[in-house]
Amino acid sequence: MDWAEECDVLVVGSGAGGCCGAYTAAREGLSVILVEASEQFGGTTAYSGGGGMWFPTNAVLRRAGDEDTIEDALTYFHAVVGDRTPRELQDAFVTGGASLVDYLEIDADLEFQVLPWPDYFGKAPKASATGRHIIPSPLSAKGIEDLNESIRGPLGRERNGEPLPGHLIGGRALVGRFLVALKKFPGVSTHLNTPLVDLVVEDGAVVGGIVEHDGERRAIRARRGVVLAAGGFEQNDAMRAEYGVPGEARDSMGPWSNLGKAHQAGIAAGADVDLMGEAWWSPGMTHPDGRSAFALWFTGGIFVNQGGKRFVNESAPYDRLGRDVIAQMDAGSLTLPFWMIYDDKDGGVPPVQATNVPMVEPEKYVAAGLWKTGETLEELAEQIGVPADALVATVARYNEMAAEGVDEDFGRGDEPYDRAFSGGQSPMVPIEKGPFHAAAFGISDLGTKGGLRTDTSARVLTPAGEPIPGLYAAGNTMAAVSGTVYPGGGNPIGASMLFAHVAVRDMAKR
Ligand SMILES: Cc1cc2nc3c(=O)[nH]c(=O)nc-3n(C[C@H](O)[C@H](O)[C@H](O)COP(=O)(O)OP(=O)(O)OC[C@H]3O[C@@H](n4cnc5c(N)ncnc54)[C@H](O)[C@@H]3O)c2cc1C
């Protein structure tokens, strides 16, 4: 093999996992090359306005008075994930977060703070009503303007041409902080526009990777190993179809470059896969560009199907809501779009406080046929093509229940997360002040979560359960530790960081 470059650790991808893996390698005194397929660092991670990490009992939470125990966190995680993923893998994630935070906090460039965020299964044993969740502290772009430019997002800039903010927050701050921290160490190089397209296998061990840059292929030797932290394959419609992932690339939140090439390279090297039909789901508010985007934080409104009937707890965590939508589509009882019905209390704009992709001018939604208005509910029903008597009856029943503050039909408001955006009060806001409005919704995802099966050190396994020497996976390239559920905000980013970190620690030991 004609090696163009050599390093101890080759990291593939620059989201939460890739950055944390590269950082860990540098801290452990290993030389590291990070290759990123796209023109910017950060991946889906950089689109996150929160950048939240689910790391129970970590020092940041502790300093804020958190009294959670690791036993309780394990009880919760086991209860919601069940036996869909190996128990020891679950335990590695739940118990590993606090020490990872200790490890990172030693570095003054890596700062975190608490953002209370209830667990997503509020009725499960030992669910936390305040959450097990921290976020990166914001980072000023002053003095690091070039670095700010080199990080993906925010979504408002990418999709709507908004100016680049002078502060990095959420996932952009997380990625920015890692990139700043990495500058301190020798032996670190990062390459943009350099996708990994293949792995080099010698005598059954992965010893490097083949990357593409400017139309040329180059081989990079990795003396200790390769960490695939290249996100999901959500932007690859052919792979979505092959593995049965509902929805379309267009409506996924992952960057264009999450095409599954690292998954394919891993599979070609003998890796087993799991959970390949799975994604992190959400309802998607449809924008005038025709794309439905992850939306949450509803301060009113109800969802109705084509029969004019409610079908779901509208205040449920987005992944549970998305899964309900998919289940009903599969059962034939729901077709897209479904509609959010709301009244005129706040004018014609839907009561969605976190659209992630910022809303554009209301006229554009109206012109695109996505937002409709009727003086009466009957008129609105005609506009959206649902039976008028059903819509009138649905709103009347909902308003009756809202007056009592109890949703007997779908349990809206029964769990702490449902009430997180209404100051702990019932989220059942009556729909009474005409004119009445409807906004079109589809199904979106935050990325796929099926991938290469690993052990607790993030070593990639063959179908026989044997580790492939030198090959590791994390984040959405790894079969998710959370299986078919989304236990709490911060799971995707937290698991991506944790398993990339343990992967490199494992390499450092060998
Ligand atoms: C609006 C929004 C908010 C969110 N908020 C949160 C939150 O607060 N907490 C949370 O836990 N999760 C959140 N999520 C989900 C979370 O952002 C992602 O699931 C997570 O960031 C994925 O991390 P990752 O490291 O696996 O991959 P990514 O962050 O997607 O990074 C993968 C990188 O790999 C690169 N890549 C792909 N293929 C190759 C290749 N062949 N070679 C080299 N590079 C490659 C990609 O270009 C990309 O840059 C949110 C998602 C969205 C959209």
Side-chain angles (χ1 to χ4, degrees), residues 12-18 35-38 40-53 133 152 155 194-197 229-232 234 253 255 257-262 280 294 356 446 474-477 486 489-494 496:
V12 180
S14 66
V35 292
E36 163 54 50
S38 76
Q40 285 178 305
F41 299 108
T44 322
T45 307
Y47 289 147
S48 166
M53 293 149 265
H133 179 261
R152 184 165 288 292
L155 282 162
T194 308
L196 174 117
V197 291
E234 58 273 2
M253 301 303 294
S257 46
N258 282 8
L259 294 167
K261 284 187 189 152
W280 310 96
F294 170 28
N356 292 308
L446 285 55
N476 290 344
T477 315
Y486 197 146
N491 263 251
I493 289 179
S496 190

Side-chain angles (χ1 to χ4, degrees), residues 160-312:
N160 303 346
E162 292 174 7
L164 180 64
H167 267 81
L168 291 87
I169 60 160
R172 296 190 82 246
L174 184 68
V175 170
R177 284 181 174 282
F178 274 124
L179 293 176
V180 168
L182 274 173
K183 287 185 191 295
K184 295 191 289 276
F185 298 98
V188 179
S189 43
T190 57
H191 303 319
L192 291 172
N193 298 306
T194 308
L196 174 117
V197 291
D198 212 347
L199 291 162
V200 184
V201 184
E202 274 174 14
D203 298 331
V206 169
V207 294
I210 306 290
V211 300
E212 255 174 21
H213 186 75
D214 278 346
E216 279 183 17
R217 291 196 164 203
R218 290 202 314 239
I220 302 179
R221 181 167 175 227
R223 287 181 289 263
R224 305 267 181 151
V226 178
V227 190
L228 301 176
F233 57 88
E234 58 273 2
Q235 288 301 334
N236 184 333
D237 271 322
M239 273 181 88
R240 291 181 81 109
E242 181 183 350
Y243 291 108
V245 181
E248 292 175 56
R250 181 195 63 171
D251 297 326
S252 174
M253 301 303 294
W256 66 266
S257 46
N258 282 8
L259 294 167
K261 284 187 189 152
H263 287 73
Q264 287 163 341
I267 294 166
D272 192 19
V273 293
D274 195 14
L275 296 160
M276 291 296 276
E278 288 291 325
W280 310 96
W281 295 109
S282 83
M285 200 184 95
T286 312
H287 292 271
D289 63 4
R291 302 174 70 177
S292 298
F294 170 28
L296 73 164
W297 192 332
F298 305 148
T299 47
I302 53 171
F303 284 136
V304 299
N305 60 18
Q306 66 270 26
K309 295 190 172 146
R310 279 182 79 209
F311 60 92
V312 77

